[in-house]
Amino acid sequence: MKAALEEARLAISHGDVPIGALVLDGNAVIASRHNERELRNDPTAHAELLALRDAANAAGTWRLDQMDLVVTLEPCPMCAGALISARIRHLFYGASDPKAGACGSLYNLCADPRLNHQTAVTAAVLADRAGSLLKDFFAMRRRRV
Amino acid sequence: MKAALEEARLAISHGDVPIGALVLDGNAVIASRHNERELRNDPTAHAELLALRDAANAAGTWRLDQMDLVVTLEPCPMCAGALISARIRHLFYGASDPKAGACGSLYNLCADPRLNHQTAVTAAVLADRAGSLLKDFFAMRRRRV
């Protein structure tokens, strides 16, 4: 999670909300990305989606069922759905997202037995640090407006 | 929807499930894509996500709130979440997906008032044709196995 927080900070330089995600194959980091929605004008360029694409590209398969994903903020419905689509084994996330979180807050997509894959979830990993990073970013942005 | 069905058929040549999606700006088609998950080994390469990325690229913004999306199959959680992330105005889909549909079947993400955008949904547009295309594809694949 510390590495994901470092990755998240890179988003600030281009005005994106600081969220970072890593894909792990055992202990090896095979993808590390941050939110690039504003940078790329791409509504799908959340950290998780970008990291999943990189990981699949590196692995040569879309089926990442031996891999885990670490992200600083609870995934939204799009990203939670992408974890399931990629068959990610275990999700570790930092801060909860009461407004859009789909892994325990508004929904719990990863645990839905009706879908064709379930991803284990560990929440609140370094949640205070992950939450502070976002809180500080939004406070800074408000001061600038 | 007829154009989306034509787009869907293109997926068969590379062994992907035939699903097609268009993004419309008024009456103009600004993106047209089909499922490329197998072709690209990309768990996020569903037709809707690819079409949204192309549309945002063409429009120069991730905020597609004046645009509509047409897709041959009910979107999964990832794709329904992507529609919301892109602020798509109206979704038109063909066949329902009782196994993974997130726009009326298992979930109705597009109508969730807790999320920061709602997308209007029209279901069952040429649903029989859209359903037959998928049914025929899976029947053909079973014969080959």
Side-chain angles (χ1 to χ4, degrees):
Chain A
M1 186 60 76
K2 284 179 188 170
L5 287 164
E6 283 308 308
E7 179 68 41
R9 284 189 185 93
L10 300 175
I12 298 172
S13 68
H14 44 77
D16 270 290
V17 178
I19 301 166
L22 313 178
V23 177
L24 302 174
D25 187 0
N27 287 323
V29 175
I30 67 160
S32 179
R33 295 295 294 266
H34 56 269
N35 180 21
E36 296 184 0
R37 185 179 69 165
E38 303 294 340
L39 178 69
R40 295 176 179 266
N41 274 323
D42 179 352
T44 74
H46 288 192
E48 300 95 313
L49 242 83
L50 297 173
L52 288 170
R53 278 223 303 277
D54 281 4
N57 193 42
T61 173
W62 57 262
R63 191 181 287 272
L64 309 179
D65 53 3
Q66 300 304 308
M67 300 194 191
D68 305 323
L69 188 138
V70 179
V71 60
T72 55
L73 181 68
E74 182 184 357
C76 73
M78 173 178 74
C79 292
L83 297 176
I84 297 163
S85 178
R87 314 287 197 265
I88 285 287
R89 185 173 62 175
H90 202 128
L91 163 69
F92 299 86
Y93 70 79
S96 291
D97 182 357
K99 291 185 180 169
C103 301
S105 292
L106 301 187
Y107 295 96
N108 200 343
L109 293 174
C110 291
D112 188 336
R114 301 171 303 173
L115 297 172
N116 63 356
H117 178 77
Q118 287 77 48
T119 293
V121 176
T122 301
V125 183
L126 298 184
D128 287 350
R129 284 177 61 177
S132 294
L133 180 62
L134 289 164
K135 208 172 120 187
D136 292 350
F137 173 77
F138 287 114
M140 182 185 74
R141 204 156 74 166
R142 276 194 298 275
R143 280 198 302 273
R144 283 189 184 168
V145 171
Chain B
M1 185 59 78
K2 284 179 188 172
L5 287 164
E6 284 308 308
E7 180 67 41
R9 284 189 187 93
L10 300 175
I12 298 172
S13 67
H14 44 77
D16 270 290
V17 179
I19 301 165
L22 312 178
V23 176
L24 301 174
D25 187 359
N27 289 322
V29 175
I30 66 160
S32 179
R33 295 295 293 267
H34 56 270
N35 179 21
E36 296 184 0
R37 186 179 68 166
E38 303 293 340
L39 178 69
R40 295 176 179 268
N41 274 323
D42 178 353
T44 74
H46 287 192
E48 300 95 313
L49 242 82
L50 298 173
L52 288 170
R53 280 223 303 276
D54 281 4
N57 193 42
T61 172
W62 57 263
R63 191 182 287 272
L64 309 179
D65 53 2
Q66 300 304 309
M67 300 194 192
D68 305 322
L69 187 138
V70 179
V71 62
T72 56
L73 181 68
E74 181 183 357
C76 72
M78 173 178 74
C79 292
L83 297 176
I84 297 163
S85 178
R87 313 288 197 266
I88 285 287
R89 186 173 62 175
H90 202 128
L91 163 69
F92 299 86
Y93 71 79
S96 291
D97 183 357
K99 290 186 181 168
C103 302
S105 292
L106 301 187
Y107 294 96
N108 200 342
L109 293 174
C110 291
D112 188 337
R114 299 171 302 174
L115 297 173
N116 63 356
H117 178 76
Q118 287 77 47
T119 293
V121 177
T122 301
V125 182
L126 298 183
D128 287 350
R129 284 177 61 178
S132 293
L133 180 61
L134 290 163
K135 208 172 121 187
D136 293 349
F137 172 78
F138 287 112
M140 181 185 75
R141 205 156 73 166
R142 277 193 299 272
R143 280 198 303 272
R144 283 190 185 166
V145 172

